Structures are given as structure tokens and as C-alpha cells.
Amino acid sequence: MIKKLQKRIAFTLAGILMLIMLGLQLFFYISNYYYYAEYQKQLMEQIADGYINVDAGGNRSESIEGTREDYMADDWYLPIWVFQAGEDGGLTVTQKSSGVMQDDEKVLGTAQKILNLDKSEGIYKRNWYLHKDNVLVMMNDADTIIYYEQQAAIILISGVVGFAVIIICSLLIARWLVKPAARAFEQQKQFISDASHELKTPLAVIGANAQHLKSEIGGNKWLDYILEENVRMGKLLKELLTLAKVENTSLPEAKEKVNLSRIVTGALLPFESIAFEKEIEFWIDIQEDVFIKGEEEHLKQAVIILLDNAFAHVSEHGEIRAKLGKKGKWASVSISNTGLEIPKEEQKKIFQRFYRIDKGRNRAENRYGLGLPIASGIAGRHKGRIEVSSENGQTVFTIFLPVYR
């Protein structure tokens, strides 16, 4: 739980920082590019309208703003061509700046391709162009366009590198932020474990004394209540101790190779007689020789918890199916039963400690909402997971475990 919280904080923080960083970079890049593109467009429009003559020794006539400035040939630092389109679709160079080095034939070929694009303005092979009426203005601005392409590449690379750096920093920050929660969670688990151990002895003494007293004075409803509650508390303490054990991350991981097929089969056998007594159809499908690394006792307990849960909630004369299979790197144990569906909003909550959907019924059956958290903890301890689906009158719990390799 703490690791999930840590990852959630880290990726949320990283996502926010990345959005801010990329947002600012893109804002400045796009705004700068847009301003420059608009400037070039206005310049080409004035050339197309005849307000500016780009020929060597040419000048600017009355401008759109009503001013008049002379632009000699040396002022044009970019190669610029002005073409006139004829009725036959041919192009003629009418103006060109003094810095032009390319031959007219090659330039005319490029201009003809621009006309075929059927677009009034844009960039073609690092040439700005504007097609207005029968006039085509083309401006070779390769250096600037290459600059913007390089800037875009730099933003992309810095985004990738920045994301990696931000992820590392976010993980470190998240680890620091969840330390108090992790410490409190560990203290809570330790308290449950210690309290359960401490309560075992007095609970056993109470049970023994009550049994001895019953043998001396005979039947008594008050003693029966004491013994009944003693049994209930004993079961609760046992489940709390099991939960504390499977959630104890300080214990070494299980490395023993075990036969999951044999474990599941052994867990299923006692329930066949229960199914017969309740007139429930009990279907078993076990794939042979499925091996995993794990603790046999805990794995068997997880399967028993799911089976016990299925028999507790199966519909009258319903059906329960138990299946073990292997696909790729994962083995799966699924237990399904017919009956009432688990609402979608409840499906995640049922793996929380002490959570019970039908509290009255579960209390009457001595169920405390610890079975599924224990099964989930066992799956997690074996680097697996547990999933639930409930639809069309059927509920399926599936434990996924990595196979032994």
C-alpha cells in the first residue's frame, strides 16, 4: 500500500512538473515562431502587392502604413524571387534579390512544385512562399528554418532527459513524503501483531477456565455465551496474526519450489463433501505440474479462503468452479460461484481490512472481513496479485502468480 502511494505521488508530481516545463518551452517556441512567420508573411504580401521591389537597386514604394523607405539591394540578406504566372500556367521570374546564387531553371522548378501544392502560403523545402493572385513570392530562409528545427529537437531531447531527471527527483521526494505514513503503517501492523500475541494467553486461560467450570456446574447459558465469544475471538486473533505475518516485509522471501497443482488439489478435497451436502455443483479443472516459488502453507490458505468465500455466497443449489492454469509467465487460480453480484463500487473495498458488504450476516457467521485481505497479502508476498470480477450472476476471484523458471 505504501509503495503504491509512493508511486502515485511520484508520477503525479512528475506529470505536473513535466506539463509546466514543456508548457513553458512550447509557449516560448510557438510564440517566437509564430511572430517570425507572421513577419515573413507580411513582408511577402507587400512584395506581392508591389509595395516593395526586391530587384538590385530597387526601392520600397508607398507602404501599407503610409510610409516610404528605400531598400537598396544590399539590404536584402535573404534570396527572394518574385514570379508571374501566365495564362498557360508557366512562370516567369520578374524580380530577384542580388544575393541569389541559384540558377533560374532550378528555382523555376521549385516554384512550379509550390504552385502544384494548391496552397496559398507556407514552407516548402525551407522556402517561405506566398501565392497571391498571379504572383508567387518565394524566400529562401534555410538558416532560420534550420534553427527552428534544431530548437524543436532540443525541446524534444530536453523533454526526455528532463522527464528522467524529474522522475528520479519525484521518487526521492515521494519517498521522503510517505515516510511518516510508512512509519505509522508499520507501527500499526506491529501493534496488531503484538496485541494479538499478548491476547492469545489470557484468551486461552478464559476458555480453559470456562470449560472447567462448565464441567463442574453443568449447562449454563452464560457460560455458553462466554465459550462462544471465546471461540470467535480466537478465530479473529488467528486471522490478525496471519495478516501481520503475510504483510511483514522484513521477513525473507519464499524461494522454495512448490507444486501449485498439488497444493490447490489438497485445498479443494475437503470442500467436495460440503458441496455434496449443500447440493452444489462443484467443478474442478486442475492443470498438472504447475510450479512456482512460494510457501506451501500460505498458498493453500489463500485457496481455502477463496473457496470458503465462494461456499458462503453461492446461490442455493448453485455452482462453484475451481480452475488452475498456466499461460506464459503466469499461473492463475480462479474460484467462481453463482449468486448475488458484488457491486462495482464495492469490488476494490472488499480487500480492505475488516470491510464487509453484509455486516449482519458476516458477524453471524463469524466473518470479520480479514479473509480476502489475507489472500491478497499472500498473493502480494509471492509477487502476484488477486483480481475480482462479478457480472451476469457469477463472481470470480483469480490469483495470478509468477511461474517457476
Side-chain angles (χ1 to χ4, degrees):
M1 184 182 76
I2 295 298
K3 286 185 177 179
K4 286 183 179 179
L5 178 62
Q6 183 176 322
K7 287 180 180 178
R8 186 175 297 178
I9 292 173
F11 284 106
T12 301
L13 185 61
I16 293 171
L17 291 175
M18 276 300 299
L19 285 174
I20 293 172
M21 184 185 78
L22 286 178
L24 288 172
Q25 284 185 317
L26 289 173
F27 172 76
F28 288 116
Y29 175 82
I30 292 172
S31 60
N32 189 24
Y33 179 83
Y34 177 78
Y35 173 80
Y36 186 77
E38 281 296 307
Y39 171 80
Q40 297 294 62
K41 178 184 175 182
Q42 289 179 15
L43 181 61
M44 289 189 293
E45 282 182 344
Q46 292 188 34
I47 294 172
D49 292 335
Y51 289 102
I52 298 177
N53 186 346
V54 299
D55 272 333
N59 59 71
R60 170 183 261 187
S61 304
E62 189 72 16
S63 69
I64 294 174
E65 293 80 8
T67 61
R68 181 183 177 87
E69 297 179 52
D70 290 335
Y71 278 76
M72 302 309 292
D74 293 340
D75 292 327
W76 298 106
Y77 64 95
L78 295 176
I80 302 174
W81 298 267
V82 181
F83 304 90
Q84 183 72 38
E87 294 181 0
D88 59 350
L91 290 173
T92 306
V93 178
T94 59
Q95 299 179 48
K96 61 180 178 180
S97 61
S98 61
V100 171
M101 302 297 294
Q102 297 94 325
D103 60 86
D104 288 351
E105 185 177 343
K106 183 178 179 181
V107 173
L108 282 168
T110 303
Q112 192 64 55
K113 290 178 181 177
I114 290 174
L115 282 181
N116 295 335
L117 294 175
D118 198 26
K119 290 175 64 178
S120 62
E121 61 184 73
I123 298 176
Y124 179 76
K125 292 187 176 180
R126 295 171 179 162
N127 290 287
W128 297 96
Y129 68 86
L130 176 73
H131 185 205
K132 189 173 183 181
D133 298 330
N134 293 325
V135 178
L136 173 66
V137 180
M138 189 172 73
M139 184 185 303
N140 186 278
D141 196 6
D143 291 342
T144 305
I145 294 173
I146 289 172
Y147 167 78
Y148 280 111
E149 290 173 353
Q150 290 173 342
Q151 288 298 306
I154 290 171
I155 290 174
L156 180 62
I157 295 169
S158 64
V160 174
V161 175
F163 181 72
V165 173
I166 287 173
I167 281 289
I168 294 171
C169 293
S170 298
L171 285 171
L172 294 174
I173 293 171
R175 186 181 298 176
W176 174 73
L177 288 174
V178 301
K179 269 186 178 179
R183 194 180 301 114
F185 187 67
E186 289 299 323
Q187 289 174 348
Q188 183 191 55
K189 289 195 296 184
Q190 188 63 43
F191 170 76
I192 291 173
S193 178
D194 293 344
S196 300
H197 278 291
E198 292 298 324
L199 289 171
K200 278 179 67 177
T201 301
L203 200 62
V205 171
I206 291 171
N209 288 337
Q211 286 284 4
H212 181 71
L213 188 60
K214 185 177 181 179
S215 65
E216 286 190 355
I217 66 174
N220 183 286
K221 68 175 184 178
W222 307 113
L223 280 176
D224 291 339
Y225 289 154
I226 292 172
L227 289 170
E228 183 181 333
E229 288 300 310
N230 185 265
V231 171
R232 193 174 73 84
M233 287 298 296
K235 182 182 177 183
L236 174 59
L237 285 178
K238 184 179 179 181
E239 290 185 353
L240 284 171
L241 285 170
T242 303
L243 184 61
K245 185 177 180 181
V246 298
E247 289 185 342
N248 191 346
T249 55
S250 63
L251 294 177
E253 292 182 4
K255 297 182 179 179
E256 181 184 356
K257 179 183 177 182
V258 295
N259 190 328
L260 187 60
S261 303
R262 183 177 60 80
I263 293 171
V264 174
T265 301
L268 293 172
L269 290 177
F271 286 89
E272 291 184 334
S273 58
I274 299 174
F276 179 78
E277 290 176 7
K278 292 187 174 183
E279 298 181 358
I280 293 170
E281 290 188 56
F282 191 23
W283 300 90
I284 299 175
D285 180 12
I286 305 296
Q287 182 176 336
E288 295 295 327
D289 296 328
V290 177
F291 292 94
I292 67 168
K293 285 197 300 184
E295 300 166 311
E296 184 171 340
E297 180 186 350
H298 281 159
L299 290 168
K300 185 175 182 179
Q301 185 176 10
V303 177
I304 289 173
I305 287 170
L306 296 187
L307 284 166
D308 183 57
N309 187 71
F311 275 90
H313 298 93
V314 68
S315 55
E316 189 175 359
H317 307 305
E319 178 184 275
I320 293 177
R321 290 180 178 270
K323 182 178 180 180
L324 167 64
K326 181 176 70 172
K327 187 176 180 181
K329 298 180 180 179
W330 295 93
S332 61
V333 182
S334 62
I335 309 294
S336 65
N337 66 274
T338 55
L340 294 175
E341 298 174 11
I342 302 173
K344 285 279 187 184
E345 61 273 11
E346 304 283 348
Q347 289 181 16
K348 288 186 178 180
K349 298 178 182 178
I350 57 177
F351 295 105
Q352 298 174 4
R353 298 178 185 180
F354 300 106
Y355 187 83
R356 295 168 291 182
I357 298 176
D358 188 348
K359 294 180 174 57
R361 175 185 171 185
N362 285 326
R363 181 173 176 81
E365 296 176 358
N366 284 343
R367 294 178 177 275
Y368 308 102
L370 290 175
L372 290 176
I374 290 172
S376 179
I378 292 171
R381 185 168 175 78
H382 289 79
K383 299 187 181 302
R385 66 186 189 280
I386 186 168
E387 296 179 357
V388 59
S389 64
S390 188
E391 56 187 4
N392 302 323
Q394 189 173 54
T395 299
V396 184
F397 284 90
T398 306
I399 297 177
F400 294 94
L401 299 165
V403 297
Y404 181 84
R405 291 183 179 273

